[in-house]
Amino acid sequence: MMAKNLEATINVTTASESFSVSLPPIAELPFPVKSIGGNESVRQCHGVLYDAALVVPTVLFVLYLVVHSKKNLTKLCNGRSYIMISYYALLWLACVLNLAWCSLQGWQCSAGKEVAWNLLSLFTVAAMLYLEISLMAFLLQESYASGLETLARTFIISGIIVGVDMLLKVIYVFGFGFPLFIDVDSTHRMKWGFWIIHELLLTAVYGFILFVHFSKWREKLPSRPAFYHYVVVMFVVSAVAFFGCALAGTGAAFGIWLYNLTVICYHSLYLPLLYATFLADFFQEENFLLDNAYYSEMKDAGFFDADWE
């Protein structure tokens, strides 16, 4: 938006003469300015510390993947595990989108960037959610017909869930104009209502997995301790995010701060956590000439107790 120049002229009249004083032109601000009364919505950037907390861990993790990419690709080619190849590709896609999302936070404060920011946020969150849901669904499968068959079924189910989630977000953002991904009008009840439901569902899923872990159906779940550490972390993050959204919906500043903290944790630490929990063992294994199914890899890593030869 091109700034407009405003020129003010002051007419001064005295007892003996009158004269005019012209002030220099003033550039009109391209963004809304907060009024003294605080009634107008203001689009604010979070600041350098917020951006650094997002960008630095994300860049470091991407650099780690780049440094180890040659070795990882060699193991993937030799191991020929289509499941590991699929999840490694999904990890890279999510990392690239997340790096762009973390690096372009300034788009929230730029006029004319709303659509681009909403699209970037939409696809970034969708990629990370798809990776999160598909991996959990794959690990919780009870049918072991074949690796590729289970992988295909998992991807289809996860795609449907994420597709519905994306459709709702598109309707909210582009249909109704709700600022789901833009930090403006922080007391928007429909915005926080959507995120409350979203985080509540995630909290319920991870809470249910923890419940099953301590029930008589425990043997149906993966037995690897790292799996439950991952579930506990995600349950805590989802629960805190839900609590923050609930407080933010009432206009509490602490709720907004708490939700922003969970956003930082999720976008900067989730992908490294997922890699360390589920993928790192495969790439660290020296003997990577395994069967062409990830079930064998997970069995060797101790994910399952059941004998499914």
Side-chain angles (χ1 to χ4, degrees):
M1 180 184 299
M2 183 176 296
K4 298 177 181 178
N5 292 331
L6 304 179
E7 182 175 339
T9 302
I10 301 177
N11 295 320
V12 180
T13 303
T14 62
S16 59
E17 59 179 341
S18 62
F19 58 92
S20 298
V21 178
S22 297
L23 300 179
I26 302 175
E28 185 182 24
L29 294 176
F31 310 115
V33 181
K34 188 175 182 179
S35 62
I36 297 177
N39 295 325
E40 297 181 11
S41 298
V42 185
R43 187 176 304 171
Q44 299 175 338
C45 287
H46 292 282
V48 176
L49 292 179
Y50 181 93
D51 293 346
L54 286 172
V55 173
V56 173
T58 304
V59 170
L60 290 177
F61 181 60
V62 172
L63 289 177
Y64 173 85
L65 291 180
V66 171
V67 170
H68 293 82
S69 60
K70 183 178 180 180
K71 181 184 69 174
N72 293 344
L73 290 174
T74 300
K75 291 189 175 183
L76 287 173
C77 293
N78 291 328
R80 295 183 179 180
S81 172
Y82 296 107
I83 297 173
M84 286 301 298
I85 293 173
S86 299
Y87 280 111
Y88 189 69
L90 284 175
L91 176 68
W92 264 106
L93 175 62
C95 284
V96 171
L97 288 173
N98 189 54
L99 178 61
W101 186 88
C102 294
S103 304
L104 298 174
Q105 289 289 308
W107 280 9
Q108 293 190 70
C109 313
S110 302
K113 296 289 187 179
E114 295 88 351
V115 175
W117 173 253
N118 284 327
L119 288 174
L120 177 60
S121 301
L122 185 66
F123 284 104
T124 301
V125 173
M128 297 179 68
L129 184 63
Y130 185 83
L131 186 60
E132 179 180 353
I133 293 177
S134 64
L135 187 57
M136 289 299 299
F138 180 81
L139 295 178
L140 296 175
Q141 290 286 332
E142 295 184 14
S143 174
Y144 309 120
S146 70
L148 290 178
E149 179 183 345
T150 305
L151 181 66
R153 182 169 58 249
T154 300
F155 280 179
I156 291 174
I157 296 174
S158 303
I160 293 174
I161 296 175
V162 175
V164 172
D165 180 77
M166 286 187 66
L167 178 61
L168 291 176
K169 289 174 181 175
V170 168
I171 294 175
Y172 265 68
V173 173
F174 299 105
F176 299 122
F178 297 149
L180 289 183
F181 304 114
I182 296 179
D183 295 325
V184 59
D185 193 6
S186 297
T187 59
H188 200 295
R189 291 189 176 182
M190 293 300 296
K191 166 186 175 178
W192 292 117
F194 177 88
W195 289 122
I196 287 173
I197 297 175
H198 191 274
E199 298 300 335
L200 178 61
L201 291 175
L202 290 176
T203 304
V205 170
Y206 288 114
F208 178 75
I209 295 175
L210 290 178
F211 168 77
V212 173
H213 175 63
F214 295 102
S215 69
K216 61 182 180 180
W217 301 286
R218 178 177 181 176
E219 65 276 1
K220 294 182 178 295
L221 297 178
S223 60
R224 191 183 185 191
F227 172 81
Y228 296 100
H229 297 161
Y230 168 85
V231 172
V232 169
V233 170
M234 296 306 298
F235 173 77
V236 172
V237 172
S238 300
V240 172
F242 167 73
F243 182 64
C245 291
L247 290 179
T250 65
F254 176 73
I256 299 173
W257 178 87
L258 194 62
Y259 176 75
N260 287 334
L261 178 62
T262 61
V263 169
I264 292 176
C265 293
Y266 183 76
H267 283 275
S268 62
L269 301 177
Y270 172 68
L271 293 176
L273 172 65
L274 184 145
Y275 178 84
T277 304
F278 301 111
L279 302 179
D281 286 348
F282 174 82
F283 295 116
Q284 292 174 359
E285 178 63 42
E286 293 298 331
N287 182 18
F288 51 83
L289 295 175
L290 305 175
D291 295 337
N292 188 20
Y294 188 43
Y295 294 112
S296 297
E297 299 156 6
M298 295 185 66
K299 181 182 178 182
D300 295 338
F303 274 95
F304 299 100
D305 286 332
D307 181 11
W308 36 269
E309 292 289 339

